[in-house]
Amino acid sequence: MDREHPDSAPMAEFLRSARSRLTPREAGLDDPGPGRRRVSGLRREELARLAGVSVDYYTRLEQGRSRSASAEVLDALATALRLNDAERSHLHALARPRPVRRSRPRPQRVHRATWDLLDALQQTCRPGFVLGRRLDVLAHNQLAGRLITDFRALPAAERNQARFVFLDPHARELYRDWARVAADTAAMLRLDAGRHPDDPALGALVGDLSIHSEEFRRFWSDNKVHRRSTGTKDYHHPLVGDLTVTYQALVPGDDPDQILFVYGTEPGSPSETSLRLLTRWNSAAAGTRSVTAQAPRAHD
């Protein structure tokens, strides 16, 4: 009898989760109505038919009894499941062979040019910060530290966006839609787990968050993935009140595991006024110190 392969378990879980979330109507099938179905999502045979594979083969994939799936099959499944680009990439990452890691990954270092850019953003009243693997906060300018929290004042092991969102009580007051931010954060971490399945520090982080946060356990079990590119975020700041920022995510150099987030506000909006007030307060409190003189240069 075929047994589940440990390497196939994450892909199997992701397929089951994605199938359960897609209704027949969303998949373009005739929906007989809830009274005639025991599950709200697609049946295995329905997904197999949409993807052009046999029911037996798909069942083996979903039960983790097959470690092989071609790129063509994965793309067919992704299309049938209506996966977005981040979810499609995640599925391919879960299915690829996993090389054995022979040494610890090198610490991520923020390039000098990125530090200079963070300083320049500070001068134009734009918060900026860099996230690395595991959502570690590698760098931020003073305004980002004042808007969110000063990660530089925390022990190195605690400079992490997911830890802040789920374990710091301030985060629940700061984000006006904390539940959405928390769900997206867990989904970003899940995406990172697909890219780096053998990262022991990531496993330790997920374990720690699972122990200390019921909400994280719930969002993590949803098996969703998320990649931020552009959008908006709403804050309720204790000093300047409510404000809404737009954000853009950029890869600042040759490290694809670093993401630079740049915040802005609508010109002439109350949010812009609030951010400028925060800038002036920050300048008065911190003097004219350069962000590059304050922050560490590397983060494990």
Side-chain angles (χ1 to χ4, degrees), residues 136-215:
D136 286 343
V137 180
L138 303 181
H140 62 75
N141 60 20
Q142 290 175 351
L143 185 53
R146 182 56 57 188
L147 175 64
I148 305 170
T149 195
D150 188 356
F151 288 96
R152 298 167 300 174
L154 300 176
E158 297 180 17
R159 297 170 191 164
N160 180 273
Q161 178 71 8
R163 286 190 181 278
F164 172 69
V165 169
F166 285 101
L167 303 183
D168 193 324
H170 172 57
R172 295 176 183 268
E173 301 174 356
L174 179 66
Y175 297 112
R176 282 156 58 188
D177 190 354
W178 180 86
R180 181 177 65 85
V181 171
D184 287 349
T185 299
M188 289 177 67
L189 202 61
R190 174 72 78 172
L191 187 66
D192 195 60
R195 289 170 52 86
H196 303 285
D198 300 318
D199 184 353
L202 177 58
L205 173 62
V206 170
D208 198 33
L209 292 173
S210 298
I211 291 172
H212 293 99
S213 173
E214 179 182 353
E215 292 96 337

Side-chain angles (χ1 to χ4, degrees), residues 6-17 57-58 60-62 64 66-69 74 77 90-96 98 223:
D7 284 351
S8 299
M11 182 178 72
E13 293 173 2
F14 182 70
L15 287 172
R16 288 194 295 267
S17 176
Y57 176 69
Y58 176 74
R60 289 165 59 86
L61 286 177
E62 194 177 280
S66 176
R67 290 179 293 181
S68 62
L74 294 173
L77 289 171
H90 184 65
L91 178 60
H92 278 268
L94 294 178
R96 71 173 185 260
R98 307 211 177 140
N223 229 301

Side-chain angles (χ1 to χ4, degrees), residues 3-300:
R3 296 182 178 179
E4 181 176 337
H5 297 286
D7 284 351
S8 299
M11 182 178 72
E13 293 173 2
F14 182 70
L15 287 172
R16 288 194 295 267
S17 176
R19 178 173 63 84
S20 70
R21 294 194 296 267
L22 185 67
T23 66
R25 185 182 301 277
E26 291 169 335
L29 300 176
D30 292 333
D31 189 351
R36 299 178 60 182
R37 299 179 68 91
R38 290 184 297 176
V39 295
S40 58
L42 288 183
R43 298 188 179 100
R44 285 176 180 166
E45 58 268 24
E46 291 171 333
L47 178 55
R49 184 170 72 252
L50 287 170
V53 299
S54 71
V55 177
D56 177 68
Y57 176 69
Y58 176 74
T59 300
R60 289 165 59 86
L61 286 177
E62 194 177 280
Q63 292 180 344
R65 294 186 289 118
S66 176
R67 290 179 293 181
S68 62
S70 67
E72 291 77 13
V73 167
L74 294 173
D75 281 333
L77 289 171
T79 299
L81 287 167
R82 302 294 197 269
L83 301 185
N84 60 33
D85 290 344
E87 293 166 335
R88 184 183 293 263
S89 297
H90 184 65
L91 178 60
H92 278 268
L94 294 178
R96 71 173 185 260
R98 307 211 177 140
V100 177
R101 189 180 298 280
R102 302 186 182 278
S103 60
R104 290 187 60 194
R106 293 181 179 180
Q108 290 183 283
R109 299 184 180 277
V110 177
H111 195 276
R112 174 70 197 194
T114 304
W115 288 105
D116 291 342
L117 178 56
L118 288 172
D119 269 335
L121 291 170
Q122 173 81 21
Q123 301 305 314
T124 59
C125 193
R126 288 180 177 268
F129 60 96
V130 179
L131 295 185
R133 294 189 302 266
R134 305 176 292 272
L135 304 188
D136 286 343
V137 180
L138 303 181
H140 62 75
N141 60 20
Q142 290 175 351
L143 185 53
R146 182 56 57 188
L147 175 64
I148 305 170
T149 195
D150 188 356
F151 288 96
R152 298 167 300 174
L154 300 176
E158 297 180 17
R159 297 170 191 164
N160 180 273
Q161 178 71 8
R163 286 190 181 278
F164 172 69
V165 169
F166 285 101
L167 303 183
D168 193 324
H170 172 57
R172 295 176 183 268
E173 301 174 356
L174 179 66
Y175 297 112
R176 282 156 58 188
D177 190 354
W178 180 86
R180 181 177 65 85
V181 171
D184 287 349
T185 299
M188 289 177 67
L189 202 61
R190 174 72 78 172
L191 187 66
D192 195 60
R195 289 170 52 86
H196 303 285
D198 300 318
D199 184 353
L202 177 58
L205 173 62
V206 170
D208 198 33
L209 292 173
S210 298
I211 291 172
H212 293 99
S213 173
E214 179 182 353
E215 292 96 337
F216 177 80
R217 292 196 300 271
R218 175 161 52 85
F219 289 131
W220 186 255
S221 67
D222 287 341
N223 229 301
K224 294 181 179 180
V225 296
H226 178 65
R227 180 187 294 124
R228 289 178 183 164
S229 54
T230 60
T232 62
K233 188 163 291 186
D234 299 320
Y235 289 92
H236 179 72
H237 195 275
L239 294 177
V240 296
D242 292 345
L243 68 156
T244 298
V245 300
T246 60
Y247 67 81
Q248 184 174 19
L250 308 167
V251 177
D254 58 0
D255 182 354
D257 291 323
Q258 289 189 30
I259 302 177
L260 169 64
F261 288 89
V262 179
Y263 281 6
T265 53
E266 191 71 24
S269 67
S271 294
E272 182 188 42
T273 301
S274 296
L275 204 56
R276 291 193 179 279
L277 286 172
L278 192 59
T279 303
R280 288 198 289 269
W281 188 94
N282 188 52
S283 297
T288 58
R289 295 173 297 176
S290 169
V291 64
T292 56
Q294 296 291 314
R297 298 298 180 183
H299 194 93
D300 249 332

